Amino acid sequence: MAAPARVLVVDDSPTMRGLITAVLNQDPDVSVIGQAGDAMEARAAIKQLNPDVVTLDIEMPNMNGLEFLEKIMKLRPMPVIMVSTMTHRGAEATLAALEIGAFDCVAKPQPGEPRPFGELAEKVKAAARSLHRHHSAPQVRPVAAAPAADFRVGRKIVAIGSSTGGVEALIAVLQKFPRNCPPTVITQHMPPTFTKSFAERLNRLCAPVVEEATDGARLEIGKIYLAPGGERHLQVSNASAPCCRLVERAPVNGHRPSVDVLFDSVAELAGRNAVGVILTGMGRDGASGLLKMRHAGARTIGQNEKTCVVYGMPRVAYELGAVEHQLPLTSIGEEILKLTAARKEGIE
């Protein structure tokens, strides 16, 4: 980056504004150029300062962050990182913001947290250099899924990994799935408590059943399992039947849950009877796991650069040779179904 990312911090709490500013200013590639306590102040600051990135509190007086984000995306699209509480209400509002077009989200720190806003600077820098800097995402609406009779499911399972931009991407992919979709496991980098709300949101928007994964849940046709954020990784294993396992391990690639941990387990359990998909996101999590899946005989898909919010994880996977098919987001759902459908000559 030629110059530091210029950031406007918007939060109604002076204490929180000070904390965010202090954290960001520790990074030499980030510069906080202004602060605002509400939407009116923020609007004036955006006009005056023309920031590269805005951090935006969800809950503010007069006009909340969600309403202000909608105005930004309509009138002056720019990368916005939402700052939210860890409550259910905060999670719901943040997920709505990500669908509207927010770049990413961070959770407000809990009392005593050792590294408050630990990932914020990296997210700000990624936002500043985002390919979709002036992209305004449309609100996602439920769509009619293909009737179950049109799709005969085979024996394959699907594993998907995603991070920044993944909320919109996952909705776009999973809305293509019919009610009798193949068993699907997903790791999306997301703060704790947000994943339950996201699973509930996906369940309302999509034809299959979507739920937050629980330890021991059997992998079933017509069900999608989302890794819970927090202290455990999602894996798949085969005890009496293929099932989800939540395991306590150190973070991998800086993440827990980690996409690599999920993909590694799918490669071992399913081999050629799996499809691996890596979607938009920062960093490299999932790339080596997807390569293991491909070496084990699985079919693999990566989101292409043009449609990624951040072409990080898919790029590393592609450069490693892990990606068999690189596709635009709008084509990935159909490709998954094509690769998992039962063959005419017999169930695969």
Side-chain angles (χ1 to χ4, degrees), residues 3-318:
R6 302 166 68 253
V7 185
L8 173 67
V9 175
V10 184
D11 196 296
D12 66 324
S13 165
T15 301
M16 193 60 63
R17 292 198 303 272
L19 177 58
I20 293 171
T21 298
V23 168
L24 291 179
N25 281 338
Q26 290 175 6
D27 192 310
D29 293 321
V30 178
S31 175
V32 175
I33 59 171
Q35 298 182 10
D38 59 27
M40 295 297 290
E41 290 181 12
R43 183 172 64 178
I46 288 172
K47 289 180 178 179
Q48 178 186 356
L49 301 173
N50 191 28
D52 299 318
V53 181
V54 172
T55 71
L56 180 59
D57 185 18
I58 286 282
E59 297 179 4
M60 296 189 300
N62 303 321
M63 180 185 294
N64 66 38
L66 204 58
E67 294 169 332
F68 186 52
L69 176 69
E70 289 182 322
K71 293 185 179 296
I72 291 175
M73 289 304 164
K74 287 178 183 177
L75 303 175
R76 194 166 180 164
M78 63 177 58
V80 177
I81 296 176
M82 306 306 295
V83 180
S84 173
T85 62
M86 298 282 280
T87 63
H88 181 79
R89 178 181 172 185
E92 283 288 316
T94 301
L95 292 169
L98 292 169
E99 291 177 31
I100 291 169
F103 178 83
D104 208 336
C105 67
V106 294
K108 289 188 175 181
Q110 301 298 300
E113 191 169 321
R115 289 185 66 245
F117 296 116
E119 293 185 341
L120 181 55
E122 290 303 316
K123 291 186 177 187
V124 163
K125 290 185 287 187
R129 59 178 178 258
S130 170
L131 297 176
H132 292 264
R133 206 166 144 180
H134 301 295
H135 166 67
S136 176
Q139 291 193 37
V140 180
R141 302 297 182 193
V143 297
D150 293 346
F151 176 74
R152 293 177 58 241
V153 65
R155 294 176 180 170
K156 290 182 177 177
I157 66 173
V158 177
I160 303 176
S162 52
S163 186
T164 302
V167 168
E168 183 187 353
L170 285 168
I171 291 172
V173 170
L174 299 180
Q175 282 191 324
K176 302 291 180 69
F177 280 23
R179 293 186 185 278
N180 62 333
C181 72
T184 300
V185 285
I186 300 171
T187 289
Q188 156 73 33
H189 297 157
M190 188 171 278
T193 73
F194 283 36
T195 46
K196 181 174 177 58
S197 293
F198 187 36
E200 292 170 353
R201 198 172 191 87
L202 287 172
N203 192 52
R204 293 193 296 268
L205 291 170
C206 304
V209 173
V210 184
E211 59 189 30
E212 195 176 41
T214 55
D215 190 54
R218 293 183 59 172
L219 300 184
E220 298 177 1
I221 291 171
K223 284 194 174 182
I224 298 169
Y225 308 84
L226 180 69
E231 300 301 317
R232 294 185 288 177
H233 296 282
L234 173 62
Q235 294 181 327
V236 295
S237 68
N238 192 354
S240 58
C243 64
C244 297
R245 286 297 179 199
L246 299 179
V247 296
E248 294 184 1
R249 280 177 51 189
V252 175
N253 300 316
H255 297 284
R256 187 169 54 198
S258 161
V259 181
D260 268 333
V261 172
L262 175 61
F263 284 176
D264 287 352
S265 69
V266 173
E268 183 176 343
L269 173 71
R272 63 186 295 271
N273 290 318
V275 174
V277 183
I278 193 159
L279 302 176
T280 174
M282 294 190 300
R284 60 182 302 115
D285 190 31
S288 66
L290 193 69
L291 184 61
K292 289 181 182 178
M293 287 186 65
R294 190 172 188 189
H295 285 165
R299 311 299 297 272
T300 61
I301 300 168
Q303 187 176 349
N304 70 356
E305 181 175 4
K306 186 176 180 180
T307 62
C308 280
V309 172
V310 179
Y311 187 56
M313 289 158 50
R315 176 186 60 79
V316 178
Y318 182 76

